Amino acid sequence: MWSERSRVESAATREIPFEKDFADVVISGHVFGDFIEDEFCEMHRVTRNGGDIVLFPGNSDSDNQIHEFLIRRGFRWGKFQEPGVGYVRWYHLEVHKKSF
């Protein structure tokens, strides 16, 4: 459901223009993977505790570097058929931030 709090923003994944814990959901498609660690840390930073990160990185249906990185961080994954491309993967993580 779209609300006053809903926003769509086009930004470099390494420099998301929101404060810490801003978003309930961060979605990224076909732009994740050039700077894997930096991109993940930035998405995690802006996602609130209990929020979700959803990725459609456009990688093929293979266990590549992106896949291995995301699995190590607790993402679950599946695949879907993208027209003209074949099977590609999606990834989902429910964010749990530790407080000290």
Side-chain angles (χ1 to χ4, degrees), residues 2-22:
W2 198 261
S3 73
E4 289 180 13
R5 288 202 57 215
S6 299
R7 290 187 56 184
V8 175
E9 187 76 31
S10 178
T13 313
R14 292 170 60 191
E15 299 174 4
I16 301 173
F18 299 121
E19 66 271 9
K20 181 180 175 187
D21 299 329
F22 173 83

Side-chain angles (χ1 to χ4, degrees), residues 9-94:
E9 187 76 31
S10 178
T13 313
R14 292 170 60 191
E15 299 174 4
I16 301 173
F18 299 121
E19 66 271 9
K20 181 180 175 187
D21 299 329
F22 173 83
D24 294 325
V25 179
V26 173
I27 300 172
S28 178
H30 293 278
V31 295
F32 183 85
D34 291 332
F35 304 95
I36 298 171
E37 183 76 37
D38 292 344
E39 293 166 344
F40 170 74
C41 288
E42 185 66 354
M43 287 186 286
H44 192 271
R45 180 188 70 79
V46 301
T47 306
R48 69 167 177 78
N49 191 35
D52 298 287
I53 298 173
V54 181
L55 302 174
F56 301 93
N59 61 324
S60 62
D61 186 22
S62 63
D63 295 346
N64 59 19
Q65 180 184 8
I66 294 170
H67 177 81
E68 296 301 325
F69 176 91
L70 295 172
I71 296 306
R72 282 194 311 272
R73 276 145 186 85
F75 280 80
R76 63 186 187 92
W77 67 278
K79 57 186 173 179
F80 63 97
Q81 191 164 12
E82 187 170 317
V85 175
Y87 284 96
V88 294
R89 294 182 178 182
W90 58 262
Y91 297 86
H92 171 260
L93 177 70
E94 184 176 340

